[in-house]
Amino acid sequence: MENRITVHQNEKPIYDIVMEHSFEQLVPELKKIGADEKRICIVTDTTIGPLYAEQVRNLLENQVREVIVFTFPAGEQYKTLDTVRDLYTVLIKAKFDRNDMLLALGGGVIGDLTGFAAATYLRGIEFVQIPTTLLAQVDSSVGGKTGVDFDQYKNMVGAFCMPKLVYMNLATLHTLDRRVYLSGMGEVIKYGLIRRPEFYQWIGQHVQAIKNREPEAVLHMVSVSCDTKRVIVEEDPFERSVRALLNLGHTLGHAIEKKKDFSLYHGECVAIGMVAAAQMSCKRGYLTEEQVKELKEILQLFDLPTDVSGLDKQEVLDATKNDKKMIAGQIKFILLKAIGEGIVDRTVTEEEMTAGLSAVLK
Ligand SMILES: NC(=O)c1ccc[n+]([C@@H]2O[C@H](COP(=O)([O-])OP(=O)(O)OC[C@H]3O[C@@H](n4cnc5c(N)ncnc54)[C@H](O)[C@@H]3O)[C@@H](O)[C@H]2O)c1
Ligand SMILES: [Zn+2]
């Protein structure tokens, strides 16, 4: 099984995604990118810090110029410019210069925030992703989108900034809360639906192994997911075309996430959004009813929701209009032409979305 994926841009190798079952190879991998000459700041949160930061710091001690740790409170509500400001302050006090490096140890919140700080501190310093949630491993650590939330707007301020390395210790998934872990399956199933029909089948055949977080199954799943994202971001690094496919289930999913005041997890809302998109694809004659039913069954096997109660259709539709993708102009809705073939569609009407929502609002 492939445990190293190289991401290219303009046919040039930019960074490696390395998948291991421990932190053992971290220092050798960091040395390959010249980190031994650098000061390193490990950025982490109050949940991951106590679990892994000490171990990572000990591994780096005496192997690099200097190691410091910056810890902020866990949670999306700290993915803000205020936290970035605190991080800048720490870096300035520790005299970090353009040659130094940040190391993002944690979930998507840490990765996005650290990447944004790296993109902007001294007009850009290097950073490495060490993702520890399933969502971060299969999605947010790859592709170079970084950023923070601004007031009520998610990911409103950000930058494209590629990491120097993505290093995964897949064993960190074992300490992850079950519901957080399974929520990441929303994104994994998404890859199968938009580009990899054989992977979609594989997921359906390995439900127990995946739920038990068996190392081989996890490695295959994370590897194929990252590779699918790699192919898409290499083709379209700045989301001008096919990268939009990664938003399958996200237009309605984000609206539901917001309207439920974030009581449902992101991947859970994506699951509901994907059911709505599949239903809309069925109405257009692209998918069969049987395929929509099968998708719901697969999602349910991973304890993901396929519908949601207590929401008003119009309210959800209005919320999609406040989505960043809408502010930018016309809506690009992702439909499924077939299982394994996502398409970007600019002709989806409000009526179609209403019908899609009817299938998922109880
Ligand atoms: N940049 C991108 O392309 C991209 C893509 C998707 C999502 N995101 C962003 O990712 C964020 C969500 O990421 P997330 O789901 O990883 O959430 P998260 O970073 O908030 O992590 C979820 C929780 O799990 C804890 N945790 C993380 N790893 C753990 C482990 N191994 N063991 C125990 N606890 C652990 C965290 O401390 C946190 O409390 C959102 O802000 C979203 O906008 C970014
Ligand atoms: Zn997502």
Side-chain angles (χ1 to χ4, degrees):
M1 183 72 243
E2 186 68 297
N3 76 335
R4 179 185 299 269
I5 293 171
T6 304
V7 182
H8 294 74
Q9 222 175 9
N10 301 324
E11 270 139 57
K12 261 183 35 208
I14 303 292
Y15 59 94
D16 280 1
I17 304 168
V18 178
M19 288 150 275
E20 294 285 343
H21 295 287
S22 74
F23 285 118
E24 246 169 62
Q25 294 305 313
L26 178 62
V27 169
E29 290 294 332
L30 284 173
K31 287 191 172 173
K32 280 191 205 165
I33 55 165
D36 35 357
E37 307 283 318
K38 299 176 187 294
R39 293 184 188 87
I40 290 189
C41 177
I42 300 169
V43 181
T44 191
D45 71 28
T46 44
T47 307
I48 312 294
L51 290 169
Y52 305 110
E54 220 26 58
Q55 192 187 346
V56 173
R57 179 211 268 269
N58 288 340
L59 284 170
L60 295 182
E61 207 79 66
N62 302 321
Q63 302 287 334
V64 300
R65 194 159 155 203
E66 188 189 340
V67 200
I68 61 169
V69 181
F70 172 77
T71 308
F72 66 91
E76 180 79 28
Q77 67 271 35
Y78 294 97
K79 196 175 122 177
T80 60
L81 288 172
D82 289 334
T83 308
V84 174
R85 184 193 165 90
D86 292 344
L87 175 53
Y88 290 152
T89 307
V90 166
L91 297 176
I92 292 166
K93 281 196 179 138
K95 301 195 164 45
F96 268 54
D97 65 31
R98 293 212 41 196
N99 193 37
D100 296 325
M101 182 181 265
L102 305 185
L103 220 149
L105 176 65
V109 167
I110 304 273
D112 280 13
L113 182 135
T114 308
F116 180 70
T120 47
Y121 182 71
L122 296 174
R123 295 198 184 84
I125 64 172
E126 292 179 347
F127 82 109
V128 166
Q129 294 270 20
I130 307 184
T132 62
T133 64
L134 182 57
L135 179 132
Q137 293 179 349
V138 299
D139 190 357
S140 62
S141 65
V142 176
K145 273 194 190 176
T146 75
V148 294
D149 304 332
F150 188 82
D151 294 343
Q152 76 269 37
Y153 302 103
K154 269 203 72 174
N155 299 325
M156 195 38 99
V157 177
F160 280 99
C161 182
M162 301 303 153
K164 282 296 280 185
L165 166 73
V166 181
Y167 183 97
M168 299 178 197
N169 170 1
L170 299 173
T172 56
L173 293 177
H174 288 291
T175 52
L176 198 58
D177 172 80
R178 179 184 157 83
R179 196 179 146 201
V180 178
Y181 173 71
L182 290 177
S183 142
M185 288 307 296
E187 307 284 0
V188 171
I189 293 167
K190 177 188 81 180
Y191 291 121
L193 288 171
I194 58 174
R195 273 278 168 109
R196 298 269 169 115
E198 73 300 337
F199 181 49
Y200 182 72
Q201 299 297 331
W202 180 91
I203 296 167
Q205 291 155 357
H206 293 80
V207 177
Q208 266 326 309
I210 295 169
K211 285 176 102 169
N212 295 340
R213 310 177 207 189
E214 288 173 18
E216 270 182 31
V218 168
L219 174 59
H220 181 75
M221 174 173 87
V222 173
S223 184
V224 176
S225 298
C226 287
D227 195 57
T228 311
K229 185 154 182 185
R230 171 192 68 78
V231 170
I232 291 174
V233 300
E234 281 183 353
E235 198 175 326
D236 175 24
F238 302 114
E239 201 168 318
R240 298 197 175 111
S241 57
V242 291
R243 190 163 178 164
L245 291 180
L246 298 171
N247 292 327
L248 174 70
H250 281 63
T251 303
L252 295 173
H254 273 153
I256 291 167
E257 201 174 352
K258 210 181 295 171
K259 283 289 144 199
K260 280 299 214 183
D261 286 323
F262 298 91
S263 59
L264 287 176
Y265 292 162
H266 176 72
E268 296 173 338
C269 297
V270 170
I272 299 166
M274 290 194 301
V275 173
Q279 186 58 42
M280 291 160 66
S281 305
C282 179
K283 276 250 163 71
R284 287 219 179 169
Y286 300 156
L287 296 186
T288 63
E289 275 173 28
E290 191 54 38
Q291 287 173 317
V292 179
K293 192 168 148 252
E294 198 178 279
L295 169 61
K296 283 198 219 169
E297 283 164 5
I298 291 188
L299 294 168
Q300 284 160 2
L301 285 172
F302 291 102
D303 305 330
L304 290 166
T306 51
D307 55 22
V308 56
S309 59
L311 289 181
D312 174 70
K313 239 179 272 173
Q314 196 54 47
E315 258 185 17
V316 177
L317 273 182
D318 290 344
T320 64
K321 291 175 190 154
N322 295 328
D323 203 79
K324 207 160 51 290
K325 290 166 200 83
M326 284 295 268
I327 292 173
Q330 187 190 32
I331 191 147
K332 289 191 247 170
F333 205 96
I334 313 308
L335 293 174
L336 295 170
K337 192 88 197 192
I339 296 293
E341 190 188 348
I343 52 164
V344 183
D345 192 293
R346 292 164 198 269
T347 66
V348 164
T349 61
E350 203 159 314
E351 288 70 43
E352 281 183 286
M353 282 203 262
T354 309
L357 275 175
S358 301
V360 295
L361 298 189
K362 275 192 281 198

